[in-house]
Amino acid sequence: MLALRLLNVVAPAYFLCIALVTLGLQFFLFLPRMREDPTAARLFSPALLHGALFLFLSANALGNYVLVIQNSPDGLDACQGAEARRALCPPPSTHFCRVCARVTLRHDHHCFFTGNCIGSRNMRNFVLFCLYTSLACLYSMVAGVAYISAVLSISFAHPLAFLTLLPTSISQFFSGAVLGSDMFVILMLYLWFAIGLACAGFCCHQLLLILRGQTRHQVRKGVAVRARPWRKNLQEVFGKRWLLGLLVPMFNVGSESCKQRDK
């Protein structure tokens, strides 16, 4: 239990450090390199477009990250009263989280990177957090590849060029041919690639469960859920104004979580 509580503190700090490093590299290394292009137009320069797109991705990722932390899943007593707390057989979708030390409704899993349980109130924000984190990481990797390609005069036309970049750069770094800052960017490329793919896979898996009307906790426990149309399951999580939630980090706008019953 002590190890889990320690991980619940270390993982959010790790994520915030990666986010700060990514922001620093974008605005102090990649963008200044783009502004050095004398042929670029001033109004629609690559630096301006790149900065606007990256701000959009990072603002949505960090905004939904904060909302996941703020919107803790409802406790058992919030919707079912004192009688349900004394019941011998609580609803199958409830779960007691040892890290949070509470029983939550529509429990999906405990996310250590946010330090919070994922459930009815913050599921949509968690899915969007994974989506925009993966997009921000993969977009940062593309910008980093362009930077390394220009600085070290490396061509990535061959499909295996990215896979052989790290071992080649390590040998050149110890021989003095690659600077420490460039080596740090190369290491970040692989970290962005790994985080981006992991978040994208987790986002797709979570969306599949939402379409089925299930949670990860129900799948692990083998709890059967009543079949419903996938549109209704999707609307229950994302709400009616789902398109606005894709563009701007906002609270869940669907039905009240206390009115949602376990299916």
Side-chain angles (χ1 to χ4, degrees), residues 22 39 63 78 103 134 142 222 225 233 240:
T22 302
T39 62
V103 180
S134 64
V142 173
V225 295
N233 294 328
K240 296 180 180 180

Side-chain angles (χ1 to χ4, degrees), residues 1-11 97-101 112:
M1 178 54 61
L2 181 60
L4 292 178
R5 294 187 181 275
L6 181 61
L7 180 61
N8 207 44
V9 176
V10 174
C97 179
R98 295 184 299 168
V99 181
C100 297
F112 288 98

Side-chain angles (χ1 to χ4, degrees), residues 171-212:
S171 61
Q172 293 179 352
F173 171 73
F174 286 106
S175 64
V178 176
L179 299 178
S181 59
D182 297 335
M183 189 65 209
F184 180 75
V185 173
I186 293 174
L187 293 176
M188 289 298 300
L189 293 180
Y190 289 88
L191 185 60
W192 287 327
F193 181 73
I195 296 177
L197 286 185
C199 289
F202 204 94
C203 179
C204 294
H205 174 69
Q206 206 69 46
L207 282 176
L208 181 61
L209 292 179
I210 292 174
L211 292 174
R212 293 176 177 176

Side-chain angles (χ1 to χ4, degrees), residues 18 84 120 165 168 215 227 248:
I18 295 297
S120 56
L165 175 63
T168 304
T215 63
V248 180

Side-chain angles (χ1 to χ4, degrees), residues 117-189:
C117 284
I118 308 301
S120 56
R121 294 185 61 192
N122 56 6
M123 175 59 71
R124 187 190 69 175
N125 297 122
F126 176 76
V127 172
L128 293 179
F129 160 68
C130 292
L131 172 64
Y132 280 105
T133 299
S134 64
L135 292 177
C137 287
L138 296 178
Y139 188 73
S140 298
M141 187 193 72
V142 173
V145 166
Y147 172 82
I148 291 298
S149 178
V151 172
L152 301 181
S153 300
I154 299 177
S155 175
F156 289 91
H158 196 276
L160 298 179
F162 182 76
L163 298 178
T164 59
L165 175 63
L166 183 60
T168 304
S169 301
I170 291 177
S171 61
Q172 293 179 352
F173 171 73
F174 286 106
S175 64
V178 176
L179 299 178
S181 59
D182 297 335
M183 189 65 209
F184 180 75
V185 173
I186 293 174
L187 293 176
M188 289 298 300
L189 293 180

Side-chain angles (χ1 to χ4, degrees), residues 63-76:
N64 284 287
Y65 178 83
V66 173
L67 291 179
V68 169
I69 299 175
Q70 290 182 347
N71 296 344
S72 299
D74 290 326
L76 184 62

